[in-house]
Amino acid sequence: MNKLFYKIYHGNLAFSAIEEEALAEVIDKTYFSLLELIEKDNLKVGLELSAYSLEKVQELRPLWIEKFKELHKKGLIELIGSGYMQLIGPLVPYEININNQKIGLEVYNNILGIVPTIAYINEQVFSKSMVDIYVEAGYKAISMEWNNAYSIHPQEWKKEYSFQPVVAKGLNSTIPILWTNTIVFQQFQRMAHQEISVDEYTTMIQHHLNIGYKALPIYSSDLEIFNYRPGRFETEAIITTDEWERISNAMNKIKEYGKFCLPSEIIEKSLDSNIELDLTTTANPILVKKQSKYSLSRWAACGRGTNLINTLCYNYLTNYGINKKLLQYWGSDYRTHTTIKKWNKAIDFLTQENQDSNDKHKTIINDITLKEENNKLIFEKDNHKIVFNKLKGLVLDKIYKNGKLLQFGTVWHGDLDYISHGADFYTGTTTLESADIRKIADLYEIENYTFDKVDDNKYKLSTTINMKGQATEYKSWIIDLDNNTIALDINLELKEFIKGSIRLGGLTLLPQDKDSNFWYECKNGGQEYERFNIDDSIKIEHSQAKSLLQSSSNGMGVTDGVLRFGIDKDIICEIEIDREISYPFVMLQNSYDHDKYLTRIFFGLQELDDTLKVSENREFRLRYKINI
C-alpha cells in the first residue's frame, strides 16, 4: 500500500490575539497564500474553518470565496467543519453544542454550497459526548489528536492504532476518527519558521513512515502563523523569509515518499473499522490537546476572567436563547489571549440586559434556636440533624437524616490510615493560592453569625470571614426542608487581583469502601450523563498543580450543573451548581487509602496558567445545593 499524507489547516478569524482591524491583512497573507500554494503545487489539502470565519472572509475578501470554490471543484481542497464558532464542547451545554454545529452547516451551505462530512474537534478538546453531538449533526467522521489519548492508555493501546484512521466510541454511537498529531505538526511549524532545516524535517517524515504509518497527518494546526504572527507570545519567531515558499519546497520533497490526499480520501482508503477506541478514562473524562500547559482550566477559569464570561453567557442563554452573537462570545478565543478591546465588546454585549439573579430572602420569626456544643452549631428539626464547625470557618461537619449519616461532610485527621491522608478534609472551604500570598484558607474561628428563618421551612446560617486582609468572604448555608436540600452560597470580595487560584466551597465525601461499585457521573457537553467507575487502580488528580505556572491538571464539564456520586444503583451524593450565579471549573480528587477512598470536589473560580491576565473583577460567587 502506498504511503498517504494529509493536511488540515485550522483557520480561525476569531483568533484571540488578532484585532478585527487586522483581519483583512491576515486573509491576504495566509488564506490567499494557502490557495496559491495548493494551485501552484497541485497539492490536496483540508481546510477547517468556522462558519463565523467564513462570514468574515465573505465580508472582507469575497474573491477568496470564489477561488476556494474553484479549487474545491477541481478536487484540490476539502472543507472540514468546525461549527459556527470554535468553542469548547465539553464545557458548554448540549443546546449550545448542537446549535453551533447546525448553524455552522447552514452557513457553509449558504456561502459555499458545501456541506462538510468531516469535523475537526474544536481546540481538540474531547469528551465521549462529542461523538454523539457530531453524529447527530450529520458528520461522517471527526478529526482529533492522537498524542494525549495515547498517553493516558499506555497499557491498552498499541502505537499502531495511530497509523491509520480508526473508530471512536461515544455514549450511544461511534464515528471514524482521523488522527491529528501534535509532534508532527509542531515539526512542520519549526521547519516553516526556520528552527529546523528542510532536510531535518524530511528525515523526521521518513522516520514516521519507516515505523509503519499508512496515513500520516503532515499538518493539523493554525493557518494564521505563516508569513504572519498573531502576537500571542514574546517568543514568536521573526519572519525573515517567505514561509509559504519554504513550505512548498518541503512538501515537494516529501512527495517522493507518499501521496497527498484529501482527508475524506484518507478515510476511504485506509480506515480500519475493526479498531474501536474509547478515548477517555475515569481520571481523564475530557482530553485536551498539546503539551501539559494546555489544561482544561485554560477555557474554564483563566484568561481575562473566564468564569465571568462563562456565567454571563449562561445567563444570556437562559434569558434570550441562542443566536450567533451568543455563539461568538462563547468561543474559546475569548477565554485565552483575547485583546482587551475584544473582551470589553463581549462583556458589554452580554451584560447589557443581564438580569440580577441574587436571591432576595425575606426574614420571618424563627421557630428554631441553634444548639452550641463543643464549638459546633447544631440544627435539629423533624428528622434532620445538621452540624457546623465554628472553629473552622463554619464548614459542614455532618448531616443525619432519620438517624442515618449522609455521605458528605468532614473527614477528620485519623479517619484514614495512610500518612498522605493525615489531615482534616472539609466541606465548604475556600482557598486562595499564589506565589505571592502562598495559601490562605477560610478556616478561622467564627465569632459572629446570623441564623434566620427565611420561609416556612427554610433557614439561613450566615457569617463573614476576613481572609488575612486579602479577601472578605460572605458565607451562607441555606437549609430547605421542603425540598430536602442544603445549599452553600459564597460571595468572595478580593482586595486586589491574585495571580493564582481561587477555589470556593470545596466538598468532601465520607470515605467509601474500595470494594464497592463506586462511580461518578456528569454531562460533558452532551444530552446524557457520562458515568465513570472508580477502582483502586485509578488516581484522579484534577486539582493538582502541573507546575508553578499551571494550577490544575484536568476537570469535568458538568454542563447542566449536576454532579452525582453513587454506589451500585444508589446515588449517595448529588450536587447541583447554580450556573446562573457562576460557572465554576469543577475538579475531582480521588485517592485510595488502605480500604477506603478519599474523594473531594473543588470549584475553581480562577486558575493559573499562561493565559491568566490581570482582571478588574474582584467579586466571585458560588452557589450549589446538595440533596439531603
Side-chain angles (χ1 to χ4, degrees), residues 175-323:
I175 196 168
I177 183 167
L178 187 66
W179 295 117
T180 66
N181 190 304
T182 291
I183 300 301
V184 176
F185 85 62
Q186 288 175 341
Q187 289 285 312
F188 181 98
Q189 291 172 342
R190 291 183 179 196
M191 174 275 297
H193 294 163
Q194 299 186 85
E195 295 177 35
I196 62 173
S197 69
V198 171
D199 286 342
E200 288 173 311
Y201 174 74
T202 55
T203 298
M204 181 275 299
I205 295 297
Q206 286 178 291
H207 165 72
H208 280 80
L209 297 178
N210 290 338
I211 64 175
Y213 273 88
K214 300 171 185 175
L216 183 63
I218 296 297
Y219 191 66
S220 49
S221 191
D222 296 333
L223 169 60
E224 298 88 355
I225 62 169
F226 304 117
N227 277 10
Y228 186 84
R229 297 293 183 267
R232 291 171 297 172
F233 311 116
E234 294 179 1
T235 56
E236 288 181 339
I238 297 171
I239 301 170
T240 60
T241 188
D242 184 341
E243 292 170 347
W244 286 106
E245 186 61 33
R246 189 171 173 83
I247 290 169
S248 174
N249 292 338
M251 296 305 97
N252 284 322
K253 276 200 169 189
I254 67 171
K255 281 181 181 178
E256 300 173 18
Y257 314 125
K259 178 184 178 182
F260 278 93
C261 295
L262 297 176
S264 58
E265 293 174 337
I266 295 292
I267 291 175
E268 291 170 10
K269 294 173 185 288
S270 62
L271 172 67
D272 188 338
S273 58
N274 293 317
I275 301 174
E276 293 191 356
L277 301 178
D278 188 344
L279 274 63
T280 63
T281 66
T282 296
N284 295 280
I286 298 174
L287 293 180
V288 177
K289 65 182 179 180
K290 296 186 183 178
Q291 283 82 358
S292 61
K293 77 171 185 176
Y294 286 84
S295 169
L296 189 61
S297 65
R298 187 178 193 84
W299 302 281
C302 297
R304 292 190 181 276
T306 297
N307 176 259
L308 171 64
I309 196 170
N310 285 344
T311 304
L312 292 175
C313 282
Y314 186 84
N315 277 282
Y316 188 98
L317 170 65
T318 301
N319 295 328
Y320 307 111
I322 297 169
N323 56 41

Side-chain angles (χ1 to χ4, degrees), residues 375-376 388-397 410 412 424 426-430 441-446 463 465 473 475 477:
N375 293 306
K376 304 291 175 61
F388 302 94
N389 190 334
K390 278 184 65 181
L391 279 181
K392 298 294 181 180
L394 210 62
V395 297
L396 178 65
D397 186 354
T410 296
W412 292 104
D424 302 317
Y426 303 106
T427 288
T429 308
T430 289
D442 65 346
L443 300 174
Y444 299 99
E445 182 175 0
I446 299 303
T463 192
I465 301 172
E473 179 185 45
K475 179 186 288 187
W477 291 98

Side-chain angles (χ1 to χ4, degrees), residues 408-620:
F408 56 92
T410 296
V411 176
W412 292 104
H413 178 273
D415 285 352
L416 295 168
D417 293 330
Y418 290 177
I419 191 62
S420 57
H421 297 146
D424 302 317
F425 302 98
Y426 303 106
T427 288
T429 308
T430 289
T431 59
L432 314 176
E433 188 168 6
S434 76
D436 295 327
I437 65 170
R438 306 190 75 173
K439 188 170 186 176
I440 301 173
D442 65 346
L443 300 174
Y444 299 99
E445 182 175 0
I446 299 303
E447 300 290 344
N448 300 301
Y449 64 88
T450 60
F451 177 64
D452 300 310
K453 185 173 184 179
V454 294
D455 212 334
D456 289 341
N457 221 8
K458 192 173 185 179
Y459 303 85
K460 184 176 182 181
L461 173 63
S462 302
T463 192
T464 301
I465 301 172
N466 184 330
M467 298 181 66
K468 287 191 175 180
Q470 294 292 333
T472 301
E473 179 185 45
Y474 303 93
K475 179 186 288 187
S476 297
W477 291 98
I478 301 156
I479 303 163
D480 186 344
L481 297 181
D482 285 338
N483 292 303
N484 290 306
T485 63
I486 182 169
L488 175 61
D489 191 323
I490 293 176
N491 187 347
L492 185 79
E493 294 180 358
L494 289 182
K495 179 182 177 183
E496 58 187 9
F497 173 77
I498 292 173
K499 191 173 183 179
S501 65
I502 300 171
R503 297 175 180 175
L504 307 187
L507 186 147
T508 302
L509 298 187
L510 300 191
Q512 302 301 312
D513 291 337
K514 280 168 61 174
D515 60 1
S516 62
N517 181 23
F518 185 34
W519 51 264
Y520 74 91
E521 66 179 15
C522 64
K523 292 183 180 180
N524 291 316
Q527 270 188 305
E528 297 187 21
Y529 290 94
E530 300 182 17
R531 180 172 292 191
F532 298 91
N533 294 314
I534 299 173
D535 62 46
D536 60 8
S537 67
I538 298 167
K539 196 170 187 179
I540 304 173
E541 298 182 312
H542 296 169
S543 60
Q544 289 296 106
K546 285 187 177 181
S547 70
L548 292 174
L549 301 176
Q550 181 75 56
S551 63
S552 64
S553 299
N554 207 330
M556 301 172 286
V558 195
T559 46
D560 70 340
V562 176
L563 174 62
R564 299 188 185 114
F565 294 86
I567 301 288
D568 295 322
K569 295 181 179 180
D570 297 325
I571 296 172
I572 62 170
C573 181
E574 179 173 300
I575 306 152
E576 184 176 350
I577 302 162
D578 189 337
R579 291 296 201 187
E580 293 187 17
I581 292 293
S582 68
Y583 208 95
F585 178 42
V586 185
M587 295 164 280
L588 179 60
Q589 194 84 357
N590 186 83
S591 55
Y592 51 84
D593 201 79
H594 170 62
D595 57 357
K596 302 282 187 182
Y597 293 115
L598 174 64
T599 307
R600 307 175 73 198
I601 303 96
F602 298 89
F603 305 93
L605 279 293
Q606 179 178 291
E607 296 293 319
L608 175 66
D609 81 345
D610 66 299
T611 70
L612 183 63
K613 308 288 192 298
V614 174
S615 169
E616 294 181 0
N617 182 42
R618 299 288 184 269
E619 185 174 341
F620 297 87

Side-chain angles (χ1 to χ4, degrees), residues 136-149:
E136 182 182 351
Y139 282 102
K140 304 303 181 186
I142 57 173
S143 185
M144 175 61 195
E145 190 211 51
W146 159 260
N147 310 81
N148 277 280

Side-chain angles (χ1 to χ4, degrees), residues 8-20 22-24 26-27 30-31 34 47-57 60 64 79-80 82-88 100 108 120 122-123 219 221-225 228 230 232 289 299 327-328 330-338 342:
I8 300 176
Y9 286 91
H10 164 59
N12 173 30
L13 290 180
F15 208 115
S16 59
I18 301 176
E19 295 285 14
E20 290 272 332
L23 294 183
V26 173
I27 297 168
T30 61
Y31 285 55
L34 174 63
L47 173 61
E48 179 247 346
L49 200 62
S50 70
Y52 168 85
S53 298
L54 190 61
E55 288 179 337
K56 286 294 181 184
V57 175
L60 297 169
W64 186 92
L79 178 66
I80 305 299
S82 171
Y84 181 73
M85 193 70 176
Q86 174 179 267
L87 50 76
I88 306 303
N100 186 48
Y108 295 141
Y120 183 95
N122 288 171
E123 294 281 17
Y219 191 66
S221 191
D222 296 333
L223 169 60
E224 298 88 355
I225 62 169
Y228 186 84
R232 291 171 297 172
K289 65 182 179 180
W299 302 281
L327 294 176
Q328 177 186 342
W330 223 319
S332 60
D333 289 277
Y334 285 88
R335 283 143 182 81
T336 53
H337 297 286
T338 194
K342 290 165 75 172

Side-chain angles (χ1 to χ4, degrees), residues 33-46:
S33 297
L34 174 63
L35 299 189
E36 290 166 6
L37 172 75
I38 292 168
E39 187 170 42
K40 177 173 71 75
D41 292 345
N42 199 39
L43 189 68
K44 290 186 175 183
V45 164

